[in-house]
Amino acid sequence: MPEELQGDELSQGYGSPKPIPYVPYASSPQLPGVPSYIGSGEANALPPVPPVLSSPPQASIVSGGSSVQKRSRQGRWITISILAVLLLAAVASFFVIRYVSRSTPDKTLDAFCNALQQADYQSAYDQFSAKLQHTVSEAAFAAALSQDKVTACTHGTTGDSANSVTNDLKLVHASKGINNDVVMLTKDSNSNWKIDDIYKQT
């Protein structure tokens, strides 16, 4: 029986087959800092997915809004400060202009003298107080001075702290005549200084 002989010869020549030794599966190399998720009974488990947090974007939006509000407040304070400075400057300028342009006894006498030298008797008459205008009319005043025109007019200097002051007035006429007069000035209800009386020095 050839087949049997061949089988015996094969078994006698090679002997019985040896069992293959057990080789365990080599685990994949562990990377440093990466946790291992393979444990007993969890070979196919997946790593947990971290939850998506929306807090950081909201915090960024809130932070950006706070910065914008801060800049807006700073802008408002700068604008208010500039307006306050401009307002103070305007008020100060108003009082300075009012002080410089205020009526004084010397300004009234300057206007009176300039008008007399230019033969502008109406303007000179306007420097009289209401009481003095009731004493002499503009026509009589102009007629008296037009007969011997004033060529020079000078006066002294006075303050304006009181409600009435006196000053010296010197008129030089075309005829070379000279009048050394005393002028009394008063402040009217509008705080304008007016000539209230003129009389010769004694």
Side-chain angles (χ1 to χ4, degrees), residues 31-79:
L31 297 177
V34 178
S36 175
Y37 297 100
I38 301 176
S40 59
E42 297 182 355
N44 297 325
L46 295 177
V49 178
V52 178
L53 300 178
S54 58
S55 297
Q58 291 179 357
S60 176
I61 293 174
V62 172
S63 177
S66 177
S67 178
V68 171
Q69 290 178 356
K70 183 181 294 185
R71 288 196 298 269
S72 178
R73 285 195 297 268
Q74 290 176 350
R76 282 198 301 269
W77 278 114
I78 292 173
T79 302

Side-chain angles (χ1 to χ4, degrees), residues 129-179:
S129 66
K131 185 183 79 171
L132 187 58
Q133 288 179 354
H134 287 143
T135 303
V136 58
S137 65
E138 190 275 330
F141 173 74
L145 290 175
S146 61
Q147 295 177 3
D148 193 4
K149 293 183 178 181
V150 175
T151 58
C153 178
T154 57
H155 62 83
T157 302
T158 58
D160 58 351
S161 58
N163 290 327
S164 63
V165 296
T166 58
N167 204 340
D168 297 331
L169 180 68
K170 181 179 181 179
L171 301 178
V172 179
H173 297 271
S175 63
K176 306 302 181 182
I178 298 175
N179 290 94

Side-chain angles (χ1 to χ4, degrees), residues 60-126:
S60 176
I61 293 174
V62 172
S63 177
S66 177
S67 178
V68 171
Q69 290 178 356
K70 183 181 294 185
R71 288 196 298 269
S72 178
R73 285 195 297 268
Q74 290 176 350
R76 282 198 301 269
W77 278 114
I78 292 173
T79 302
I80 293 172
S81 300
I82 293 174
L83 291 177
V85 171
L86 292 177
L87 179 61
L88 290 176
V91 171
S93 300
F94 170 77
F95 283 106
V96 169
I97 293 173
R98 183 178 180 181
Y99 178 81
V100 172
S101 62
R102 77 193 190 284
S103 175
T104 65
D106 291 343
K107 289 180 180 180
T108 299
L109 291 177
D110 286 342
F112 182 72
C113 285
N114 292 334
L116 289 179
Q117 293 176 89
Q118 296 173 9
D120 184 2
Y121 302 119
Q122 179 62 58
S123 296
Y125 187 78
D126 291 340

